[in-house]
C-alpha cells in the first residue's frame, strides 16, 4: 500500500459524508478531515498503531476515523455506534471508498470496554469536544 502523506489523507477524508441531522442525545458532530487526518497520521507514523492492526473505532458515527485507518493500512477496522442512522451513513461512505476490510456494529460501546484490549490492537474515538449534554442527560436518566 502506498504511504499516504498527511495532506493526501486529509483530502480523501473531505469526501466522507457527514450527518445531515445530528442527534443531540448522542452528541453527534463530525470530526473535521483536518483533525481526523492529523490524529490518524500521528497514531500511524509516531506509534505504528494502524498499519496491519485490528482497529476499533468507538462511537464511529459516519466513519471518518475508520475510513482513514483503513486508508493507512489497517488490517481491519470495526466501527461501533449506538445509532443505526449513523451506521447507515457509515455504510454508504465505506461503499463509496470501496473498502472491504471495514465493518460496523450497532451497540452501546460502554458494554464493550472490558473486551476491547483483548480483541483489538488499537482503539480510536473522536476527541470528546462536547460534554454539556452528557451531564444533563445523565441527570435526566436517573
Amino acid at each position: 500500500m502506498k504511504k499516504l502523506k498527511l495532506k493526501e489523507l486529509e483530502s480523501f477524508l473531505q469526501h466522507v459524508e457527514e450527518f445531515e441531522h445530528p442527534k443531540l442525545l448522542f452528541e453527534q458532530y463530525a470530526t473535521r478531515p483536518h483533525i481526523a487526518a492529523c490524529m490518524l497520521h500521528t497514531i500511524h507514523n509516531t506509534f505504528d498503531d494502524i498499519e496491519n492492526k485490528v482497529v476499533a473505532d468507538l462511537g464511529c458515527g459516519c466513519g471518518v476515523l475508520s475510513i482513514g485507518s483503513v486508508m493507512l493500512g489497517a488490517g481491519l477496522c470495526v466501527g461501533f455506534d449506538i445509532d443505526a442512522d449513523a451506521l447507515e451513513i457509515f455504510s454508504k461512505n465505506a461503499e463509496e471508498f470501496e473498502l472491504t476490510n471495514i465493518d460496523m456494529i450497532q451497540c452501546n460501546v460502554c458494554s464493550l470496554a472490558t473486551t476491547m484490549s483483548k480483541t483489538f490492537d488499537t482503539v480510536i474515538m473522536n476527541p470528546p469536544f462536547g460534554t454539556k449534554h452528557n451531564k444533563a442527560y445523565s441527570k435526566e436518566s436517573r
Side-chain angles (χ1 to χ4, degrees), residues 33-105:
H34 177 72
I35 293 172
C38 287
M39 184 172 124
L40 293 170
H41 198 264
T42 300
I43 294 168
H44 177 62
N45 290 309
T46 304
F47 302 103
D48 194 30
D49 281 338
I50 301 264
E51 191 171 7
N52 299 315
K53 305 288 186 191
V54 180
V55 177
D57 181 1
L58 305 184
C60 62
C62 301
V64 69
L65 295 177
S66 294
I67 290 167
S69 294
V70 170
M71 295 178 104
L72 289 172
L76 172 67
C77 188
V78 181
F80 296 89
D81 204 290
I82 197 167
D83 183 29
D85 296 331
L87 293 176
E88 186 176 322
I89 297 168
F90 183 164
S91 181
K92 289 177 187 174
N93 283 326
E95 286 176 27
E96 284 291 316
F97 282 89
E98 299 178 355
L99 303 174
T100 57
N101 53 336
I102 199 165
D103 202 357
M104 57 212 71
I105 297 173

